[in-house]
Amino acid sequence: MSKSNGPCLSGGNGSGGNGSGGNGRGCNAEPLPTAQAMMLESDGFVETLQLDFEAWRAFIRASCGDQPEVIDPSAFAGWMQPVSVCGLAAAALKIECGFAALDLGHSAYRSERTQRDVRFAGADYYYAVFQVAGRSALTQNDHAVELAVGDVALFDAARPAACFANDAQWLGLHLPRQALVSHLGCEPEGGLCTRGGTPAARLLFELVRDADKGDGSAFSPADPYMQLAVFDLLGALFAPSDPSGVSRHADKLFARIRGVVKDGFADPDFGPREVAAVGGISLRYLQKLFTARGSTCSEFIYSLRLDHATRLLHRRASLGTNQPLSEIAYACGFRDYTHFARKFRHRFGYSPGAAARDRVATATS
């Protein structure tokens, strides 16, 4: 499987495995009594090629750069099945290590993703991990979460992480970073987990389970809409509750967006839609960034254009040139002089012509 076809645990997203420990605790809470009924079909790997540990390790390394280890390679068996969930790439992963009922503190299987592995893989996406059978423990960003059947965790493929398990099965959902961040309006933290008993987790698990039952081969016209539902549920589960974390990310993003506008304001065709496209965010998120600061993107664009106009008027007066004011308007991103003059008067209280005469008088006095 290529890097784009579906992620693996601790560096991508995946699913698989039948194992013991389904009554364990996930996120420090008991799973719902109905968790077993939510499980994906564990016999979905019947026609999937079984991998020994060397083949599994090669697959994991090629997929996401992780470095898996196991106590007894000769007892290991793994399966991987690419699937599609509402048009999003996903993977079902299953491992059997030959050591049933071991405590997670003495796991038979470990897969680690270091900072060096992150640089090597070049992955830049999120992945949601659904615990389908068995138990597992995952770590990222100083978070250590233990997943039981029905639990859901969110991880960042661009950050180091680790996975510990015995016999287990997961389903992982590949989430393009730009699409997720644009939809949520923030960048969620990786390494978080929610227990399967929450309504949003249960709905998301049901949606993924139902999608996995199909053959995943045909595109559905409903897929784009269902993807929005997936993102909404992920937002309900993992959107930051601490506004300070959102603020820090938003401030950095807003600074970058300001730079985009400063580079393009002189183009008369450059508007909010173009800013959003260049900035790699949705128009809705762009509007949200400016609204939170008491402004709009259009107002900021016009502000830069008028600031540039005052500089050109000052240079015109200093050099004593007769540059037409219409040329200055065009150079600042205005399509016609009338629009430029109206905006200029609204901001400064006088016309561009009056400003030009005043600056000439000041320069010659």
Side-chain angles (χ1 to χ4, degrees):
M1 181 179 69
S2 69
K3 294 178 184 178
S4 62
N5 286 339
C8 62
L9 293 179
S10 84
N13 102 36
S15 116
N18 182 17
S20 61
N23 293 325
R25 294 176 64 85
C27 304
N28 300 317
E30 292 291 343
L32 288 182
T34 58
Q36 293 295 334
M38 296 172 60
M39 290 173 56
L40 305 181
E41 295 296 331
S42 61
D43 60 355
F45 296 91
V46 172
E47 298 181 359
T48 302
L49 179 65
Q50 178 177 320
L51 304 177
D52 61 19
F53 183 68
E54 288 303 317
W56 176 268
R57 181 166 58 184
F59 152 67
I60 293 295
R61 289 291 291 163
S63 299
C64 52
D66 283 37
Q67 302 186 57
E69 298 177 0
V70 67
I71 291 178
D72 185 358
S74 65
F76 177 88
W79 295 262
M80 187 284 297
Q81 177 64 53
V83 295
S84 177
V85 175
C86 305
L88 295 169
L93 298 176
K94 175 181 177 180
I95 60 171
E96 292 180 355
C97 301
F99 290 85
L102 285 179
D103 183 85
L104 285 176
H106 302 85
S107 303
Y109 177 85
R110 168 193 175 99
S111 182
E112 184 176 6
R113 181 183 182 85
T114 66
Q115 188 61 53
R116 182 176 181 275
D117 297 328
V118 169
R119 292 194 299 269
F120 168 78
D124 190 25
Y125 55 86
Y126 285 92
Y127 55 102
V129 177
F130 301 82
Q131 190 75 32
V132 175
R135 292 185 301 159
S136 59
L138 299 100
T139 63
Q140 186 173 69
N141 293 328
D142 297 324
H143 297 292
V145 298
E146 184 175 323
L147 275 62
V149 173
D151 292 341
V152 185
L154 183 71
F155 284 82
D156 187 343
R159 302 280 297 173
C163 170
F164 308 86
N166 297 306
D167 290 0
Q169 181 175 337
W170 307 271
L171 185 130
L173 185 62
H174 184 287
L175 304 165
R177 181 181 300 274
Q178 180 176 317
L180 182 65
V181 171
S182 295
H183 187 83
L184 299 184
C186 63
E187 188 164 346
E189 184 180 9
L192 302 179
C193 169
T194 187
R195 62 190 179 94
T198 63
R202 188 165 56 248
L203 285 170
L204 184 58
F205 211 117
E206 292 276 359
L207 192 156
V208 170
R209 180 198 62 184
D210 292 343
D212 183 57
K213 287 181 178 179
D215 61 13
S217 60
F219 170 79
S220 169
D223 281 350
Y225 302 97
M226 295 303 294
Q227 287 180 21
L228 296 180
V230 171
F231 289 160
D232 282 337
L233 289 170
L234 289 167
L237 294 173
F238 300 113
S241 57
D242 179 10
S244 63
V246 179
S247 177
R248 287 192 296 271
H249 168 72
D251 287 344
K252 291 174 59 178
L253 178 58
F254 186 68
R256 182 166 65 84
I257 292 299
R258 284 171 58 91
V260 170
V261 177
K262 289 177 180 179
D263 289 340
F265 73 85
D267 182 354
D269 294 323
F270 194 73
R273 291 187 181 278
E274 288 70 32
V275 175
V278 175
I281 61 175
S282 68
L283 181 60
R284 183 178 70 170
Y285 189 21
L286 176 74
Q287 294 167 339
K288 182 178 179 179
L289 286 172
F290 279 93
T291 300
R293 292 158 177 79
S295 182
T296 68
C297 185
S298 294
E299 289 175 350
F300 183 57
I301 292 173
Y302 280 122
S303 176
L304 292 180
R305 287 172 175 170
L306 293 172
D307 288 344
H308 189 48
T310 59
R311 290 192 293 270
L312 294 183
L313 287 171
H314 180 76
R315 187 180 69 177
R316 176 180 184 270
S318 300
L319 298 177
T321 67
N322 292 320
Q323 181 184 16
L325 297 182
S326 58
E327 285 188 8
I328 291 179
Y330 300 147
C332 296
F334 291 91
R335 291 187 178 281
D336 59 77
Y337 178 77
T338 302
H339 187 208
F340 165 61
R342 183 169 62 251
K343 287 287 186 180
F344 193 96
R345 181 183 292 275
H346 181 267
R347 175 172 173 180
F348 298 109
Y350 46 83
S351 68
R357 289 192 295 272
D358 180 67
R359 282 171 172 74
V360 169
T362 301
T364 56
S365 62

